């Protein structure tokens, strides 16, 4: 079940908005499609990310998948636990497996994110 308070992208990232900051991860649907996650590559604190540009990748037993930034901004926190525990993405995609926190440069980009209803329509197609 996708949490209602989050926003989503058509690339299967979730976004938790907290004022001018956002926390980003991948959705339940994405981790199911990928299978067992074995490695995560994330940016460093201080890196800049650009809307729709790759900011890292997730490697599963099946494939390597790029992670795309749902907004532009500066990385202010990275979930270091994922490098030792990539399985958190399969076990707890919305809690333990947050990936990065970003300080927004353009809050208007949030308006383009999907509501939970729109995201669930997308994944049922």
């Amino acid at each position: 079940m996708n949490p209602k308070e989050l926003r989503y992208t058509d690339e299967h990232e979730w976004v938790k908005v907290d004022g001018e900051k956002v926390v980003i991860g991948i959705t339940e649907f994405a981790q199911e499609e990928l299978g067992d996650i074995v490695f995560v590559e994330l940016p460093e604190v201080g890196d800049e990310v650009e809307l729709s540009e790759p900011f890292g990748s997730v490697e599963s037993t099946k494939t390597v998948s790029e992670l795309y930034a749902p907004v532009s901004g500066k990385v202010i926190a990275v979930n270091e636990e994922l490098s030792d525990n990539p399985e958190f993405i399969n076990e707890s995609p919305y809690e333990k497996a947050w990936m990065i926190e970003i300080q927004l440069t353009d809050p208007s980009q949030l308006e383009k994110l999907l509501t939970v209803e729109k995201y669930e329509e997308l994944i049922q197609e």
Side-chain angles (χ1 to χ4, degrees):
M1 189 70 183
N2 299 299
K4 289 187 179 0
E5 70 277 7
L6 301 178
R7 293 285 175 250
Y8 300 88
T9 72
D10 53 12
E11 298 287 347
H12 309 291
E13 281 96 16
W14 58 260
V15 179
K16 180 180 179 189
V17 180
D18 180 12
E20 300 265 312
K21 297 181 209 156
V22 297
V23 177
I24 299 166
I26 66 169
T27 65
E28 179 88 27
F29 177 83
Q31 69 82 20
E32 284 172 7
E33 292 289 298
L34 288 166
D36 292 337
I37 307 293
V38 294
F39 182 74
V40 184
E41 182 181 70
L42 297 172
E44 306 272 323
V45 171
D47 286 356
E48 298 284 334
V49 298
E50 290 295 322
L51 174 68
S52 302
E53 293 294 316
F55 70 84
S57 63
V58 177
E59 186 177 334
S60 71
T61 52
K62 291 192 229 173
T63 187
V64 175
S65 187
E66 297 275 9
L67 299 166
Y68 293 94
V71 293
S72 298
K74 185 176 188 173
V75 178
I76 55 174
V78 176
N79 187 347
E80 303 290 349
E81 285 189 40
L82 291 181
S83 58
D84 291 332
N85 303 288
E87 69 277 3
F88 284 177
I89 296 169
N90 297 116
E91 296 166 7
S92 180
Y94 298 111
E95 287 87 31
K96 285 199 250 177
W98 67 275
M99 293 180 172
I100 61 174
E101 187 174 353
I102 293 176
Q103 180 73 45
L104 292 170
T105 50
D106 182 358
S108 72
Q109 292 174 340
L110 296 172
E111 294 164 21
K112 296 182 174 75
L113 299 174
L114 304 173
T115 62
V116 68
E117 293 81 12
K118 292 278 186 216
Y119 181 68
E120 285 174 357
E121 283 174 27
L122 174 80
I123 60 178
Q124 284 166 7
E125 286 175 5

